[in-house]
Amino acid sequence: MRYLLLFLLPLLLFSKPFKVATYNVENLFDAEYVGTEYDDYRKKHNWTKRMVDIKINHVAEVICDLDAQILGLQEIENRNIFEQLKKRLSRVGCGYRYSAITSKKDAAIQVALLSRFPIRKQRELQVSYSPRVRNILEVEVDVNGESLWLFVNHWKSRAYHGVESKRLKYAKVLKKRLEALSESKPYIVLGDFNTDYDAHLSLEKKINDTNGRTGLHHVVNIAKDGRLVTEPDMLQNVSGYHYTLWKELELEQRWNTKFYGKKGTADHIILPSTLFDKKGIEYVNNSFKVFRKAYLFTKRGYINRWQYKKGKHRGKGYSDHLPLYAYFDTKPYVPGTDKIDIKTKPEVKNIAYLYTKESLENEVILKDAIVVWKHKRNAMIKQSKEGRGLFLYGCAGELKVGKRYDLLVRAVKSYKGLKEVTHVYILKSLGQGDISAYLLNQRDLAKKISYRQNEVITNLKGIYKNKHFYVEGRKIPIYFKNKKGMPPNGAKLKIHNALLGYYKKLQLVVYSKKDFEILE
């Protein structure tokens, strides 16, 4: 019996679901200068042995808490620092017996994999001879006698002339290799693809040199017929298509990066239909999560990335990416439904319809909407002079004031009574329009339209007193977004531009110091 238990112990150890994760650690470099480093990872920028030791500790802390059986890593400089990381993990009690790392010559950073399962084989997929183009790491691991292939990716950044055609090259190499695998073989594609899950609808103009095609959506095929591949597609064993696990989460939870206030999904875990076929290794339904430990965020809610200020490393922070993970098992897949699964075609509606909805069951198309106001990634749209306006929160980056569009709306919500859209995409640009007819002014304060939210109002003259604006016999609460630029109490103002917003009650909202002047 004793010998039987010893034989069965390795099998029992991993008979439960196992976790697969991916984590971009944000530039783990060693302290040795070899000439391939990024410029800011040199001694003159305080990148010292002590700083390397702190960085290793921080990376190890996340990896230990994540506790994945298989972990794909991005932005590891070389094998030297990778071995240092592995030793640190072993020292603190969360080591990995098996590992692999790419060895692209003269590349600044590599991709790697840590595994508690034996590695049978590994190879590198070369995308280009250029040292700036990273290899893709392919690893075959042995999960209790069954092979599982993993492909660790780190595609070209969208910064530094990172046009989409450069990521298309990675996608084509990856696709060719996946097509060479037997259709019955289970594999997981993961890593940092520098591509948002909805990029097929929102590819930025400055990187769009492919007429809207993306490597992830149109080559690796996480999209089908203009929409993301769904769980039902996987259950029908649709060949050549892949399922991004971002589909498992509510729209508001779909992010693991945040740059300049914009939430993103650069990283992915992507699956083929073989992980849904009730044979061998299977995905555990709805197990996909973003790793959101409190220490990975600042007190203000920003991602607690590694700090580099005024040309010096500060020895604080972790990474600009949050890890992703999902569970897998040898038990048959249990079908369910996507968290947000659009079951019918988008409906053509007007803005007023959205005010009747707390959330959307189906996508909505707004025809011929004009942008009447914009501030950074926020905007106001209208479809007619007397019709309702609608506030677009954090999703209007590509829209321009005065332009008309057909728009696709995916999500609405109410915040303290303010109706706003959080996910909107351009379907078609319709040209320039004249916004003057859509703006309110002081004469309109006597009309009913001035008593409803989400309107833009211009050229108001009145008195600012005790957080209210007195104009045309009305006393309207007023809120200045720029606290440092607030006018003195009792000042006579001319407001050039303001929103009729809402925060528990109707209020004027002034975004910038340029939007008003103090009158003598």
Side-chain angles (χ1 to χ4, degrees):
M1 180 61 71
R2 182 188 303 170
Y3 295 113
L4 180 61
L5 287 173
L6 287 172
F7 174 75
L8 291 176
L9 186 60
L11 298 178
L12 293 172
L13 200 61
F14 293 112
S15 60
K16 61 182 182 180
F18 60 93
K19 183 189 285 187
V20 177
T22 181
Y23 183 34
N24 183 323
V25 303
E26 191 179 15
N27 295 328
L28 179 58
F29 283 80
D30 62 23
E32 298 178 15
Y33 177 67
V34 295
T36 58
E37 296 86 355
Y38 297 144
D39 180 68
D40 43 359
Y41 285 85
R42 301 184 186 186
K43 193 172 182 178
K44 65 180 180 180
H45 295 291
N46 199 31
W47 190 250
T48 62
K49 289 183 178 180
R50 175 180 171 273
M51 201 59 58
V52 171
D53 196 56
I54 294 171
K55 177 71 175 181
I56 290 175
N57 281 339
H58 287 201
V59 173
E61 180 182 4
V62 177
I63 292 175
C64 288
D65 286 345
L66 187 57
D67 193 25
Q69 280 70 51
I70 302 174
L71 174 60
L73 296 170
Q74 299 83 44
E75 299 195 8
I76 307 290
E77 183 190 9
N78 52 35
R79 184 170 294 278
N80 178 38
I81 194 66
F82 190 43
E83 292 299 324
Q84 292 181 51
L85 174 63
K86 287 164 56 182
K87 287 179 181 177
R88 188 65 49 87
L89 290 169
S90 296
R91 188 192 308 170
V92 296
C94 45
Y96 288 81
R97 185 174 178 182
Y98 308 99
S99 64
I101 185 170
T102 55
S103 55
K104 181 66 178 289
K105 186 178 180 182
D106 295 328
I109 48 178
Q110 310 286 342
V111 297
L113 183 129
L114 295 169
S115 176
R116 295 194 173 117
F117 297 110
I119 290 178
R120 288 179 171 174
K121 295 178 184 178
Q122 68 182 79
R123 62 181 287 189
E124 298 180 38
L125 309 181
Q126 183 168 282
V127 179
S128 167
Y129 288 107
S130 169
R132 293 178 178 271
V133 181
R134 294 173 282 270
N135 289 349
I136 298 169
L137 177 62
E138 175 187 336
V139 180
E140 179 187 350
V141 300
D142 182 341
V143 181
N144 300 334
E146 294 197 41
S147 286
L148 173 66
W149 282 261
L150 296 113
F151 295 86
V152 186
N153 296 260
H154 187 192
W155 294 7
K156 175 71 177 88
S157 166
R158 284 172 285 188
Y160 311 110
H161 309 290
V163 291
E164 186 58 28
S165 59
K166 295 182 179 180
R167 282 174 291 283
L168 230 62
K169 293 178 181 178
Y170 288 87
K172 289 176 180 177
V173 170
L174 177 61
K175 182 179 182 179
K176 183 178 180 180
R177 174 59 186 143
L178 296 179
E179 288 177 340
L181 282 175
S182 167
E183 289 189 3
S184 63
K185 289 182 178 178
Y187 60 84
I188 299 171
V189 178
L190 49 72
D192 180 355
F193 298 85
N194 279 301
T195 306
D196 288 327
Y197 80 90
D198 55 359
H200 62 307
L201 297 172
S202 60
L203 195 61
E204 301 165 81
K205 286 185 178 180
K206 64 181 180 181
I207 62 172
N208 185 6
D209 64 339
T210 57
N211 197 27
R213 282 173 50 83
T214 80
L216 207 55
H217 296 81
H218 302 96
V219 180
V220 178
N221 290 331
I222 67 166
K224 182 175 181 285
D225 301 326
R227 59 169 176 79
L228 290 176
V229 170
T230 64
E231 178 186 334
D233 292 327
M234 291 290 97
L235 295 175
Q236 292 172 15
N237 195 26
V238 180
S239 179
Y241 287 90
H242 294 89
Y243 183 65
T244 176
L245 291 183
W246 284 112
K247 278 283 287 176
E248 302 272 290
L249 301 184
E250 302 282 355
L251 287 173
E252 295 300 324
Q253 293 299 313
R254 293 183 190 178
W255 63 278
N256 78 312
T257 61
K258 195 173 183 180
F259 296 112
Y260 304 106
K262 182 184 179 183
K263 295 177 179 178
T265 56
D267 307 280
H268 293 255
I269 299 177
I270 297 167
L271 308 180
S273 59
T274 50
L275 296 179
F276 298 81
D277 62 3
K278 300 185 179 181
K279 300 174 185 176
I281 297 170
E282 297 278 277
Y283 171 60
V284 176
N285 198 13
N286 292 326
S287 67
F288 173 73
K289 297 289 186 297
V290 180
F291 189 70
R292 301 186 191 273
K293 284 284 186 178
Y295 63 80
L296 295 177
F297 297 88
T298 67
K299 291 180 180 179
R300 298 181 62 187
Y302 298 108
I303 292 177
N304 188 15
R305 68 177 300 179
W306 181 255
Q307 291 185 24
Y308 178 80
K309 294 181 179 179
K310 297 181 179 180
K312 300 292 183 181
H313 291 276
R314 308 293 292 274
K316 298 179 180 179
Y318 293 85
S319 171
D320 52 355
H321 292 240
L322 299 174
L324 310 178
Y325 67 90
Y327 284 93
F328 298 82
D329 202 349
T330 53
K331 295 179 181 178
Y333 177 77
V334 179
T337 57
D338 293 342
K339 291 292 183 184
I340 299 295
D341 189 14
I342 305 301
K343 296 182 176 64
T344 62
K345 292 182 178 181
E347 303 172 307
V348 178
K349 298 288 185 179
N350 59 24
I351 289 174
Y353 168 81
L354 297 177
Y355 279 85
T356 69
K357 297 291 180 180
E358 287 302 314
S359 61
L360 294 180
E361 296 178 0
N362 302 316
E363 296 172 333
V364 167
I365 294 174
L366 298 177
K367 291 278 192 179
D368 197 14
I370 188 169
V371 181
V372 296
W373 171 92
K374 185 180 178 184
H375 181 78
K376 296 182 179 178
R377 296 186 54 77
N378 303 325
M380 190 77 73
I381 60 171
K382 295 198 73 172
Q383 290 175 299
S384 66
K385 166 71 174 176
E386 299 298 328
R388 299 300 303 261
L390 188 62
F391 188 71
L392 310 183
Y393 176 70
C395 57
E398 294 295 308
L399 301 182
K400 295 184 178 180
V401 173
K403 288 291 185 71
R404 313 185 76 98
Y405 303 94
D406 288 344
L407 299 173
L408 179 71
V409 176
R410 299 198 68 201
V412 298
K413 71 174 186 179
S414 293
Y415 178 73
K416 304 295 184 180
L418 179 72
K419 180 66 69 174
E420 58 188 30
V421 167
T422 58
H423 291 74
V424 70
Y425 305 93
I426 299 170
L427 294 179
K428 188 177 181 180
S429 296
L430 303 176
Q432 195 73 25
D434 181 5
I435 67 171
S436 61
Y438 299 86
L439 306 178
L440 306 185
N441 56 48
Q442 192 155 318
R443 294 190 302 273
D444 294 310
L445 288 175
K447 300 178 182 178
K448 288 184 178 180
I449 194 172
S450 70
Y451 287 85
R452 68 190 191 191
Q453 63 177 260
N454 287 334
E455 299 289 343
V456 180
I457 190 163
T458 61
N459 297 321
L460 298 178
K461 289 184 179 180
I463 304 295
Y464 168 66
K465 187 176 181 181
N466 299 330
K467 298 182 180 181
H468 288 78
F469 192 65
Y470 294 81
V471 57
E472 294 289 331
R474 284 181 64 178
K475 175 186 174 183
I476 310 173
I478 189 168
Y479 176 72
F480 293 88
K481 284 280 189 179
N482 187 339
K483 299 298 183 185
K484 295 181 180 180
M486 289 179 61
N489 197 39
K492 185 177 181 181
L493 304 181
K494 180 178 182 181
I495 297 178
H496 305 298
N497 211 323
L499 301 187
L500 280 171
Y502 204 95
Y503 185 85
K504 300 181 180 178
K505 57 186 175 182
L506 192 71
Q507 64 176 0
L508 284 171
V509 182
V510 179
Y511 270 75
S512 170
K513 290 169 60 176
K514 297 179 181 179
D515 289 333
F516 70 91
E517 62 179 292
I518 300 174
L519 302 176
E520 296 295 336

